[in-house]
Amino acid sequence: MTKLSVNVNKIATLRNSRGGNVPNLLRVAQDIEAFGAQGITVHPRPDERHIRYQDARDLKGCVRTEYNIEGNPIKKFIDLVLEVRPTQVTLVPDSIDAITSNAGWDTKTHLDFLKEVIDTFKSAGIRTSIFLDPNPELLESAAKTGTDRIELYTESFAEAFGKGDKGGITPFVETATIASSLGLGINAGHDLSLENIAFFKAHIPHLLEVSIGHALISESLYLGLENVVNMYLNKLK
């Protein structure tokens, strides 16, 4: 079964919009785990507009499943991850002012940088993953970085699927197949939803984990958080 890691950034966004501690981020993360999710993901950004760096520290004390911290490996982020020591760190090349992640790594151009950062995290016993576009030409250099996994950036699939074009899955299948042959684990995330997750899961070989936040929290407004978590789990079987 592919593991479901729930990104709780949107819970922090709601909390921050009013001040105080409602909703309680730590309690929601614990509830999500109790509902059956196998992981919690956060993506702190330098301006801390949703997840705060302190949130990432506090969650370490209450997350009992896999804990994934993702973000751009600037020094502040690297220091945070080494302090918290989550199960997994996912490296994402988003700019400081990015609303959301919008591209994967150019692993050829940034090979030496990624190798250095990944060596640092792996020396601390932290599993590593790098955010990657569905491009087989980047996989050989991705493997050379020493990363344990790649996370497929799935926006283009979700956009095509929403328009009725199921052919958008093709480059993801090819990339996942080659990545697996190179010994890379396969994660995926971005714009995956109840509408498209079963199709994606059925076609991607060796899919270990999906990270879902915006869609899952939005769907929960209508269907309830516990119900939605279990709907995803059923679709990922």
Side-chain angles (χ1 to χ4, degrees), residues 107-224:
T107 53
K108 295 179 180 179
T109 300
H110 300 288
L111 174 60
D112 291 339
F113 171 71
L114 287 170
K115 187 177 187 305
E116 180 181 355
V117 172
I118 288 167
D119 283 346
T120 298
F121 289 137
K122 292 183 74 172
S123 295
I126 303 168
R127 188 174 74 220
T128 58
S129 179
I130 55 176
F131 204 52
L132 201 68
D133 294 318
N135 183 349
E137 294 183 4
L138 298 173
L139 290 173
E140 184 176 347
S141 49
K144 289 179 180 178
T145 67
T147 190
D148 299 298
R149 299 184 181 186
I150 61 168
E151 179 175 326
L152 293 170
Y153 171 39
T154 51
E155 181 181 17
S156 62
F157 157 74
E159 183 177 359
F161 190 89
K163 296 177 180 177
D165 177 11
K166 295 182 179 180
I169 195 70
T170 301
F172 292 89
V173 175
E174 182 180 3
T175 302
T177 301
I178 297 173
S180 182
S181 73
L182 293 172
L184 297 171
I186 311 299
N187 296 343
H190 204 90
D191 289 348
L192 295 175
S193 68
L194 285 174
E195 179 184 359
N196 59 38
I197 188 64
F199 182 87
F200 187 82
K201 156 68 176 175
H203 288 79
I204 301 301
H206 314 295
L207 182 61
L208 297 174
E209 173 190 294
V210 292
S211 175
I212 304 177
H214 182 79
L216 188 151
I217 300 303
S218 298
E219 291 156 346
S220 297
L221 294 176
Y222 292 91
L223 302 171

Side-chain angles (χ1 to χ4, degrees), residues 26-98:
L26 303 187
R27 176 58 188 273
V28 172
Q30 291 173 316
D31 287 342
I32 288 170
E33 290 183 309
F35 299 154
Q38 297 100 344
I40 298 294
T41 290
V42 294
H43 189 148
R45 288 185 165 83
D47 62 6
E48 299 188 287
R49 63 181 180 268
H50 34 62
I51 289 293
R52 301 165 183 156
Y53 274 52
Q54 189 57 46
D55 291 329
R57 297 183 180 97
D58 293 341
L59 281 163
K60 174 67 174 181
C62 72
V63 172
R64 296 291 177 261
T65 57
E66 293 197 352
Y67 185 24
N68 174 47
I69 301 180
E70 58 184 31
N72 194 330
I74 60 175
K75 185 180 186 305
K76 183 179 179 182
F77 178 85
I78 292 173
D79 291 344
L80 173 73
V81 174
L82 291 176
E83 175 189 348
V84 174
R85 296 189 181 228
T87 315
Q88 176 176 266
V89 58
T90 301
L91 308 181
V92 184
D94 51 358
S95 61
I96 291 176
D97 60 348

